[in-house]
C-alpha cells in the first residue's frame, strides 16, 4: 500500500544480483567461498515455491577445511523475516525501523565463529506442520552443505519463534544440543 521507497535497499539488492549473475555466467558458484550473511532459498517440495532462509557463514570458513563448526538455528516471530532475524541474533534490532527495512539492511555484523540459519517457516505457521518441515529441511541442507558438527546444533527464537524452538526441539530431541526459546 505504501510502495517500496527503500531506494538504498533496492540498489544494494540490484548490485548483489548483478554480482551473482556475473559469477553464474562465468560458470562459478557465487556461494562456494562466500562468508557473512546471505539470503538463500530452496524449492519447497510441498508447493514448488521458493522457501527463503537466511544464512550466515563465519569469516573463518574456508571450503575444504577439516574443521567442524556449530550451527545456530534462529526462528523469527510473527510476521518476521529471515535476514532481519540474523540481525536480531547479532543484537542489532532497531525499534525505530520496520521489519522489512531490517531484513534488507544488516549493517556490519561482528564475526561469529558459527554458522547461522534462519528459516522462514512458511510465514506464520507457528512452526507447525509445514513450518516445522521447513526448519528441518534447512537444517538438513546446512549439514549437507557445510562442515557443521551435528552434535552442536542449537535452536532459538523469540515470540512465535520461541514457541517453535521449544516445540521443534521437543519433537526432535536427538537433533539439538540445546534449545533457547525466548518469550514464547
Amino acid at each position: 500500500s505504501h510502495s517500496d521507497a527503500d531506494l538504498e535497499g533496492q540498489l544494494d539488492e540490484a548490485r548483489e544480483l548483478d554480482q551473482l549473475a556475473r559469477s553464474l555466467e562465468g560458470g562459478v558458484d557465487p556461494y562456494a567461498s562466500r562468508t557473512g550473511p546471505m539470503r538463500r532459498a530452496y524449492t519447497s517440495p510441498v508447493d514448488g515455491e521458493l522457501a527463503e532462509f537466511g544464512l550466515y557463514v563465519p569469516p573463518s570458513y574456508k571450503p575444504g577445511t577439516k574443521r567442524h563448526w556449530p550451527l545456530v538455528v534462529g526462528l523469527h516471530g510473527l510476521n518476521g523475516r529471515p535476514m532481519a532475524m540474523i540481525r536480531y541474533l547479532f543484537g542489532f534490532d532497531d525499534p525505530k525501523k520496520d521489519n522489512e527495512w531490517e531484513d534488507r539492511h544488516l549493517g556490519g555484523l561482528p564475526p561469529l565463529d558459527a554458522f547461522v540459519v534462519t528459516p522462514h517457516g512458511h510465514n506464520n505457521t507457528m512452526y507447525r506442520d509445514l513450518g516445522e518441515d521447513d526448519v528441518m529441511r534447512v537444517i538438513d541442507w546446512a549439514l549437507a552443505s557445510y562442515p557443521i558438527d551435528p552434535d552442536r546444533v542449537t535452536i532459538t527464537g523469540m515470540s512465535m519463534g520461541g514457541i517453535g524452538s521449544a516445540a521443534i526441539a521437543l519433537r526432535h530431541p536427538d537433533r539439538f544440543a540445546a534449545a533457547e526459546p525466548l518469550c514464547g
Side-chain angles (χ1 to χ4, degrees):
S1 66
H2 65 279
S3 171
D4 188 351
D6 185 1
L7 185 58
E8 179 185 354
Q10 290 179 46
L11 291 172
D12 287 345
E13 288 176 345
R15 280 189 287 274
E16 181 179 7
L17 287 172
D18 281 345
Q19 181 182 24
L20 295 172
R22 278 193 302 276
S23 294
L24 290 171
E25 288 169 354
V28 176
D29 178 351
Y31 296 105
S33 60
R34 186 173 170 188
T35 62
M38 60 194 89
R39 194 178 305 274
R40 298 295 306 263
Y42 71 92
T43 303
S44 173
V46 175
D47 56 12
E49 298 293 321
L50 287 178
E52 183 183 338
F53 63 94
L55 170 67
Y56 174 86
V57 176
S60 57
Y61 168 72
K62 303 286 183 259
T65 185
K66 302 263 187 263
R67 179 179 174 199
H68 286 82
W69 281 264
L71 174 66
V72 177
V73 180
L75 305 182
H76 65 77
L78 191 69
N79 298 320
R81 304 286 303 142
M83 298 305 287
M85 186 62 200
I86 287 179
R87 184 182 170 95
Y88 303 159
L89 286 171
F90 279 80
F92 289 100
D93 180 23
D94 185 345
K96 297 178 201 131
K97 300 290 186 179
D98 66 21
N99 200 17
E100 293 299 320
W101 186 93
E102 290 187 303
D103 193 58
R104 281 183 159 163
H105 301 273
L106 294 179
L109 300 177
L112 178 68
D113 208 28
F115 284 81
V116 176
V117 291
T118 54
H120 199 215
H122 281 272
N123 300 315
N124 293 327
T125 61
M126 300 298 289
Y127 298 103
R128 294 188 175 101
D129 301 319
L130 294 174
E132 179 178 336
D133 292 345
D134 180 56
V135 171
M136 299 310 293
R137 278 189 192 94
V138 170
I139 292 169
D140 290 341
W141 173 87
L143 289 169
S145 301
Y146 292 99
I148 292 170
D149 181 350
D151 293 329
R152 292 192 294 160
V153 176
T154 61
I155 189 168
T156 188
M158 64 207 177
S159 191
M160 181 180 79
I163 293 168
S165 63
I168 292 172
L170 288 171
R171 282 195 286 281
H172 303 275
D174 57 317
R175 301 290 303 271
F176 299 99
E180 304 88 12
L182 304 171
C183 309

